[in-house]
Amino acid sequence: MNKTPNNKAWWLVLPVFLLVAFSALIPLMTVVNYSVQDIFDQNTAYFVGIEWYQEILQDERLRESLFRQFGFSFAVLAIEIPLGIFVALTMPKQGWQASVSLILLALPLLIPWNVVGTIWQVFARGDIGLFGWGLNSLGVDYNYTANSVDAWLTVLLMDVWHWTSLVALLCYSGLRAIPEAYYQAAQIDRASSWSIFRYIQMPKLKGVLVIAVLLRFMDSFMIYTEPFVLTGGGPGSSTTFLSQTLAQMAIGQFDLGPAAAFSLIYFLIVLLLSWLFFTTITHMDKDKS
Amino acid sequence: MSIIREKGSKRKALGLIAYMVFVLLPIYWLLNMSFKTNEEILSGLTLWPNDFTFDNYITIFTDASWYMGYVNSMTYVAMNMVITLLVALPAAYAFSRYKFVGDKHLFFWLLSNRMAPPAVFLLPFFQLYSSVGLFDTHLAVALAHCLFSIPLAVWILEGFMSGVPREIDETAYIDGYSFSRFFITIFIPMIRSGIGVTAFFSFMFSWVELLLARTLTSVEAKPISAIMTRTVGATGIDWGVLAAAGVLTIIPGVLVIWFVRNHVAKGFALGRV
């Protein structure tokens, strides 16, 4: 659609700009401010320049949680994207079954994140939880509060439970956009179900999959509440992801300077990803028109 | 051929059912537990409450410090929804219809806030809202949640608005409608499903968020999700009440999803499916 140039449109955008600026720019400036100062208490602070940045780049704990974070995010993508596509392909196309499965799918997405943590905390316990008890009685030695591999897998399983629905919903609406005539043509050609998937469904899904991958990557990159409730970051630091490490530094130990400096680096990583996301989507919109 | 296909669709249905069971099992377990007494929960595993009880729910509904948590959460979620829609509607219109200085940059900047890790902003948020005297009010949480609900709303609405042809605007102006009259009486009714979806998403993201809500409140506006941590007492965790409180937080989402079930995916894709 061709848009008319009109700078008066700024007046329509102004309220949004002011509101978001209040909640985004001021805190961001505060973080920048912290990151270049050494703060003892409310009134004593020294300017230290880039010292914190140098320090945190050497910090073993932060580097570890950054790697753990990347590992987790990639594991999340590797499971949720194929599973989401699979679920979307199996969903009924119309009727009450379609409505019911849509609503059931959306259910985990509507639960407050700490309740998601609580649900899995209860569900995975060996003594009172169905999942933990079931595994134990099958002879699997499973205990997410003591074993770090179990804890990591439980957090991963929880995230799969929580967010695969998002991927599935996106793919489902992508699939609905395919005209029925394509399938009829495929039937006449006696196409196998694999080639229907490969040559009809997959190309149509590309657009929504880009959105799904980027949203899932970014959101799993910021994960905080769910593992915090489920494992508290432990045992040891096996499930302490990046946000939690930062929150511990800033609020727990009051190491404001290093926490702020690393927050900014974290924010830059996310910003880079958002930019990627934004350009991909605008390109997609352009291709469409 | 048809036999093969039937077999395939049966296998498909089985796969879907298996996934749905995976989705529902943890929720079933929570529901199951919320109707049990603590003794039964801790004494052994039962798939169905032997000693069916509403006590856990009664505890929540008769204790002001519990049910006020729901009232608080509902209050700031509603405020957030209203603020978001009021400011996002004109802004989305501007983005969908006009070119103006810095529009692309502004759009990207808005989006980047949706992606900002909240943990980065916790302490500054606390200080900012304390310094303007908003700490521990519903408004503070509503405003803080605007940080991610507004960008999302602008995106979704812009997607819906771009689907409305420009000619409608122009015809209305030729017919002598003023901008505000056109916007309210013609344009808004045309995109009402988009508004519904947007309202749903600002509801949802504000409802599921805990970190900011907990940081910005202490007593007066404390959200239910923060109150839930109270069940950890001197005698251990009160599992029954915890489960009941969890079940009650799921219900609002289930109620509203029905209305937007056909548009959910479009909303999650920021209006771009």
Side-chain angles (χ1 to χ4, degrees):
Chain A
M1 190 186 298
N2 49 339
K3 302 177 183 176
T4 13
N6 180 356
N7 280 329
K8 280 197 193 125
W10 256 100
W11 290 108
L12 296 173
V13 188
L14 197 64
V16 162
F17 178 75
L18 289 179
L19 255 181
V20 177
F22 176 73
S23 290
L25 285 188
I26 301 175
L28 186 65
M29 288 334 285
T30 322
V31 174
V32 173
N33 200 14
Y34 285 155
S35 76
V36 292
Q37 293 188 63
D38 195 354
I39 296 163
F40 288 99
D41 57 53
Q42 293 232 305
N43 303 314
T44 341
Y46 297 100
F47 182 76
V48 293
I50 58 164
E51 219 169 88
W52 294 130
Y53 290 90
Q54 288 167 336
E55 191 185 306
I56 54 155
L57 289 177
Q58 316 286 325
D59 190 331
E60 203 57 36
R61 193 166 69 123
L62 280 172
R63 213 183 302 165
E64 269 170 24
S65 78
L66 184 65
F67 281 129
R68 211 176 290 131
Q69 184 67 68
F70 271 112
F72 178 73
S73 292
F74 283 122
V76 159
L77 286 181
I79 298 175
E80 289 179 12
I81 298 294
L83 186 61
I85 296 176
F86 169 76
V87 171
L89 285 173
T90 56
M91 271 170 74
K93 291 187 179 70
Q94 56 223 349
W96 63 269
Q97 294 103 321
S99 296
V100 168
S101 37
L102 272 177
I103 290 171
L104 286 184
L105 264 188
L107 206 55
L109 301 171
L110 296 163
I111 300 174
W113 294 345
N114 68 315
V115 179
V116 171
T118 308
I119 288 177
W120 277 86
Q121 187 192 19
V122 170
F123 188 60
R125 274 175 71 111
D127 51 350
I128 61 169
L130 189 61
F131 179 68
W133 178 84
L135 278 184
N136 283 336
S137 58
L138 284 176
V140 183
D141 187 20
Y142 167 87
N143 182 347
Y144 75 89
T145 50
N147 183 321
S148 49
V149 178
D150 290 353
W152 198 85
L153 288 176
T154 312
V155 174
L156 186 63
L157 188 67
M158 173 177 68
D159 201 82
V160 168
W161 178 81
H162 191 185
W163 288 109
T164 304
S165 301
L166 173 68
V167 183
L169 283 175
L170 288 173
C171 292
Y172 179 73
S173 68
L175 286 175
R176 288 291 74 72
I178 303 175
E180 191 55 33
Y182 283 37
Y183 292 111
Q184 285 159 2
Q187 205 180 341
I188 292 167
D189 291 347
R190 302 204 162 208
S192 66
S193 50
W194 167 252
S195 46
I196 291 178
F197 176 69
R198 173 69 189 79
Y199 296 105
I200 297 178
Q201 293 170 326
M202 207 53 202
K204 281 279 176 185
L205 282 182
K206 218 193 280 161
V208 282
L209 277 180
V210 170
I211 297 178
V213 168
L214 287 160
L215 275 182
R216 276 318 299 135
F217 185 80
M218 279 179 299
D219 286 346
S220 65
F221 207 69
M222 309 193 285
I223 191 169
Y224 175 88
T225 316
E226 300 97 314
F228 182 76
V229 175
L230 180 65
T231 63
S237 56
S238 55
T239 52
T240 311
F241 297 115
L242 205 49
S243 279
Q244 203 182 333
T245 312
L246 281 175
Q248 271 170 12
M249 278 172 92
I251 294 162
Q253 306 159 345
F254 214 67
D255 276 339
L256 287 182
F262 201 72
S263 291
L264 286 177
I265 293 179
Y266 188 8
F267 189 56
L268 283 179
I269 298 176
V270 177
L271 206 64
L272 191 74
L273 291 167
S274 325
W275 178 80
L276 200 73
F277 182 44
F278 185 71
T279 36
T280 330
I281 287 197
T282 41
H283 271 284
M284 268 163 39
D285 282 358
K286 233 183 250 160
D287 290 344
K288 227 186 260 174
S289 57
Chain B
M1 170 100 189
S2 70
I3 298 166
I4 295 170
R5 182 173 279 186
E6 211 158 78
K7 245 188 198 164
S9 72
K10 241 184 210 158
R11 211 182 307 136
K12 261 185 175 180
L14 275 182
L16 186 67
I17 289 168
Y19 184 76
M20 290 302 175
V21 168
F22 168 62
V23 167
L24 286 177
L25 260 187
I27 299 176
Y28 146 72
W29 198 246
L30 191 76
L31 198 65
N32 178 21
M33 221 163 95
S34 73
F35 291 115
K36 289 180 183 175
T37 58
N38 273 325
E39 290 74 49
E40 192 185 340
I41 292 170
L42 292 172
S43 65
L45 221 63
T46 42
L47 293 177
W48 194 252
N50 286 330
D51 189 8
F52 196 88
T53 173
F54 280 108
D55 282 356
N56 300 318
Y57 290 94
I58 292 169
T59 311
I60 290 172
F61 282 114
T62 51
D63 183 350
S65 62
W66 265 110
Y67 67 75
M68 278 316 283
Y70 289 97
V71 176
N72 289 334
S73 292
M74 287 293 188
T75 313
Y76 70 68
V77 167
M79 283 167 93
N80 170 266
M81 228 157 81
V82 173
I83 298 173
T84 302
L85 277 181
L86 279 182
V87 299
L89 273 171
Y93 182 79
F95 280 120
S96 80
R97 291 295 190 260
Y98 301 116
K99 245 189 228 143
F100 48 91
V101 178
D103 54 354
K104 292 224 171 67
H105 299 284
L106 187 63
F107 210 58
F108 174 62
W109 173 70
L110 279 178
L111 177 71
S112 74
N113 289 306
R114 156 74 178 80
M115 314 304 173
V120 174
F121 288 118
L122 277 190
L123 202 64
F125 258 56
F126 172 74
Q127 291 173 328
L128 174 67
Y129 285 97
S130 304
S131 68
V132 292
L134 280 175
F135 179 69
D136 203 16
T137 59
H138 301 107
L139 188 62
V141 184
L143 284 177
H145 283 174
C146 280
L147 187 63
F148 46 82
S149 68
I150 287 181
L152 200 70
V154 172
W155 263 64
I156 298 176
L157 285 173
E158 200 261 348
F160 276 93
M161 284 178 180
S162 301
V164 177
R166 272 201 79 91
E167 285 71 29
I168 290 176
D169 308 29
E170 279 150 16
T171 320
Y173 295 138
I174 292 167
D175 288 350
Y177 277 75
S178 69
F179 173 70
S180 52
R181 189 160 159 236
F182 154 73
F183 198 70
I184 294 165
T185 61
I186 299 179
F187 197 70
I188 286 186
M190 290 190 72
I191 51 158
R192 56 180 184 274
S193 62
I195 295 177
V197 174
T198 313
F200 170 74
F201 275 90
S202 49
F203 165 87
M204 185 192 122
F205 278 102
S206 184
W207 181 252
V208 298
E209 208 277 341
L210 165 75
L211 202 52
L212 290 175
R214 197 182 56 184
T215 311
L216 294 177
T217 56
S218 64
V219 186
E220 289 298 313
K222 201 171 181 175
I224 178 61
S225 21
I227 292 175
M228 278 179 71
T229 52
R230 251 183 23 147
T231 48
V232 188
T235 52
I237 301 179
D238 191 346
W239 293 108
V241 177
L242 183 71
V247 170
L248 289 176
T249 61
I250 301 178
I251 290 172
V254 177
L255 290 182
V256 289
I257 183 102
W258 178 259
F259 298 105
V260 290
R261 62 188 181 283
N262 295 321
H263 302 285
V264 176
K266 186 164 183 179
F268 274 117
L270 305 168
R272 261 149 192 84
V273 173

